[in-house]
Amino acid sequence: MSSSPLIGVIGKFPLTFSHLSYSLLQAEGSGFYKLDVLKHVKEVDVETPWGSPSSKVMILELPSGAQIAFIARHGISHSITPSEVNGQANIAALKHLGVKAIVAFSAVGSLREEIKPGDFIIPNQVIDRTKSIRQHTYFGPGQGLVAHAMFGEPFTPELSSFIAPLVKQVLPTGLNLHTNTGDRDSTLVCMEGPQFSTRAESRMYRQLGADIINMSVLPEAKLAKEAELAYSLICTSTDYDAWRIDEEPVTVAEVIKTLTTNAENSKFVAQNVLQHLHDAIAANEIPSQDGSMQYSIVTSKDKFTQASKDKLSYILPDYFN
């Protein structure tokens, strides 16, 4: 087997998970629960120190033979609420299997007139409006050590920049891709849910500069950063949230009506982007995030407890073995 970093594992069976370099997370409310256009290879039941992932990790094969790892974020039957998603386990499972880069998909509400239902968005900034219900760090209470991950760039710029033109190239006629341009950020606000926004909240988010809203990108992006994984998010707009004063606030029925089309478009985008992403990772065109936490851990090594080392070595073996 080759040891080159590719999407998924190298070659055929036996699976060698240490070579996994790409994964795909089904996103909240997107209707995107599986990539049935790809060959199903295997399901892996992973147990992490933070519990079980939302679903078994599905190993899927691209036409070239390269493989990817896939997790259904809200479970295959969409039975897990945004606040209940075990992001720690999802990210840890992918990292432990050898994944290097994550592309996640999400349904979002639009806070801008120009972002129409059905349009795609690749954000580069996040506003956190969750309520500390979710476990948002691997370095929380009880670990006996402190780490401060840099989060000025919530998404990996090189990964998002690589994906954006590929997404735009394959979008169906009539749909647009929105992303950051010049000094104008493409900003996602992540709210707690499961209820949708009030009209006042929706207007406030617009005043804050947000473009789209969802319930799932956090703590996922923060945990990916701590686990030294490249991370990018591809969003599809389902509705205009609640800010339009001349329309009724968004309803579940309205969202569901758009989901089926959006899910099919997302699958089409994914299958056309993944091979290019595989080739870029193999050619080291997307920089590895390995070492990015090196100076974030401020507690000296001689103060690490054995329990913390045993747990954190699952995702960061270079620092805690």
Side-chain angles (χ1 to χ4, degrees), residues 106-125 171 174-181 184-189 202 205-206 209-214 234-244 247 250 254 258 262:
S106 177
V108 298
S110 170
L111 298 170
R112 301 292 165 191
E113 191 71 44
E114 64 271 19
I115 302 177
K116 306 183 301 296
D119 278 0
F120 279 63
I121 312 96
I122 297 178
N124 72 310
Q125 282 297 322
L171 281 185
L175 298 184
N176 295 310
L177 173 68
H178 306 267
T179 188
N180 57 302
T181 54
R184 174 71 170 89
D185 288 324
S186 178
T187 301
L188 184 156
V189 58
S202 192
Y205 298 146
R206 282 169 46 83
D211 302 292
I212 53 177
I213 182 168
N214 85 345
I234 299 175
C235 305
T236 54
S237 171
T238 59
D239 58 86
Y240 280 112
D241 203 52
W243 58 272
R244 283 175 152 195
E247 293 186 7
V250 60
E254 179 184 351
T258 313
N262 282 5

Side-chain angles (χ1 to χ4, degrees), residues 248-275:
E248 291 296 315
V250 60
T251 66
V252 174
E254 179 184 351
V255 172
I256 295 298
K257 186 170 64 175
T258 313
L259 278 180
T260 301
T261 300
N262 282 5
E264 291 306 311
N265 287 339
S266 293
K267 290 179 184 180
F268 181 72
V269 165
Q271 72 181 90
N272 283 277
V273 165
L274 296 184
Q275 187 63 53

Side-chain angles (χ1 to χ4, degrees), residues 14 25 123 148:
L25 284 161
H148 300 286

Side-chain angles (χ1 to χ4, degrees), residues 7 22-24 32 34-39 60-66 68 70 103 105 120 162-163 166-167 169-172 234 261-279:
I7 298 175
Y22 172 83
S23 79
L24 182 68
F32 190 176
K34 59 181 179 177
L35 276 171
D36 45 16
V37 292
L38 300 182
K39 179 182 177 181
L60 307 173
E61 187 173 273
L62 297 171
S64 69
I68 69 167
F70 178 91
V103 175
F105 282 74
F120 279 63
F162 181 84
I163 290 171
L166 298 174
V167 173
Q169 182 181 356
V170 298
L171 281 185
I234 299 175
T261 300
N262 282 5
E264 291 306 311
N265 287 339
S266 293
K267 290 179 184 180
F268 181 72
V269 165
Q271 72 181 90
N272 283 277
V273 165
L274 296 184
Q275 187 63 53
H276 295 286
L277 181 56
H278 159 269
D279 295 341

